[in-house]
Amino acid sequence: MATSSGFLRYLESRRNLTGAACGLTGLALTFGKVAGPYWPVVVAGLYGAGALIAPPERSPRPEFPDPSAPLDSVRGDFETLETYLSAVTLPPEASGRLTELTELLAALLHPDWGTELLSHDPEGVHTLSRIVRQDLPEAVDTYVRTRWWTRLAPGQDSPEHHLERQLGLLTDQAERLAVDLRETQARRQESHTRYLEGRDRRSGTTT
């Protein structure tokens, strides 16, 4: 089977096709009575020459997932998380912090703004993924569970206090990521300015 497959690949290869085209030229010379009695040698020689000069086979380029694919997955999970959060009742202070955090996450995950920069920042995507898929749902779910037990047996630290601290820490992480992305975009802008200035100087020198 492997030999048959290799033979079929050779039949479709550039070397065979180019050689065959040159061999047909040899046959044309034979029919034109140019090759004479040595036509088999001429045809074989032209085929071999064509096979040698044919461009080498180029292996197909491997296809990899689009860099933004992981971010699309996180964006879909964020939509699921928003549905879950909309059904949870939180105290006013924590609710305000949660709204601030989710608005920031939505901005970072916006397909028209953050995708291009984040697709080249795997650490940034990991940070968003961890907040959306683990840290934020864990913080809210733990609060809901602890609040129920606290009503039965009140403790010293209120669950609301811990939730507010956790949301504040997650907001800080998201804000740092936003700052990093802003600085990356600023460096790109500065680099483009230097490029245009340099091109302008070179153009002025040549004129």
Side-chain angles (χ1 to χ4, degrees):
M1 294 296 291
T3 302
S4 176
S5 177
F7 178 70
L8 290 175
R9 283 198 301 271
Y10 178 75
L11 288 179
E12 299 173 350
S13 69
R14 296 178 182 177
R15 291 185 181 278
N16 180 57
L17 295 176
T18 305
C22 292
L24 289 175
T25 302
L27 287 176
L29 294 175
T30 300
F31 293 136
K33 298 182 180 180
V34 176
Y38 302 102
W39 69 268
V41 178
V42 173
V43 172
L46 288 174
Y47 175 87
L52 288 175
I53 65 173
E57 295 293 325
R58 183 174 65 85
S59 299
R61 177 180 174 179
E63 296 293 335
F64 297 110
D66 189 279
S68 63
L71 196 58
D72 292 337
S73 178
V74 176
R75 189 179 294 114
D77 290 341
F78 178 64
E79 294 176 357
T80 301
L81 176 62
E82 285 187 305
T83 301
Y84 162 72
L85 295 176
S86 65
V88 178
T89 301
L90 301 179
E93 183 67 25
S95 180
R97 286 184 175 272
L98 179 61
T99 299
E100 179 184 1
L101 174 57
T102 54
E103 288 178 351
L104 182 53
L105 293 174
L108 289 169
L109 290 167
H110 195 287
D112 294 335
W113 294 101
T115 299
E116 181 183 0
L117 293 174
L118 283 169
S119 63
H120 301 288
D121 183 5
E123 292 187 4
V125 175
H126 175 70
T127 297
L128 280 176
S129 175
R130 185 178 57 201
I131 293 175
V132 169
R133 293 169 170 165
Q134 178 180 338
D135 295 337
L136 181 51
E138 175 70 15
V140 174
D141 182 66
T142 301
Y143 162 75
V144 172
R145 294 172 182 271
T146 306
R147 180 183 59 180
W148 185 84
W149 284 105
T150 301
R151 289 173 178 173
L152 298 179
Q156 295 180 349
D157 291 335
S158 68
E160 290 80 7
H161 175 67
H162 283 288
L163 177 61
E164 291 169 14
R165 288 180 57 189
Q166 292 168 9
L167 294 176
L169 292 170
L170 294 177
T171 300
D172 290 343
Q173 293 180 26
E175 288 177 344
R176 285 197 296 271
L177 176 58
V179 169
D180 291 342
L181 295 178
R182 182 195 64 197
E183 292 177 349
T184 298
Q185 188 62 52
R187 287 194 296 270
R188 289 179 58 180
Q189 186 182 33
E190 293 170 0
S191 177
H192 189 57
T193 300
R194 290 194 296 270
Y195 161 74
L196 293 176
E197 290 173 343
R199 190 176 67 181
D200 186 64
R201 285 194 296 269
R202 290 191 298 270
S203 177
T205 301
T206 56
T207 57

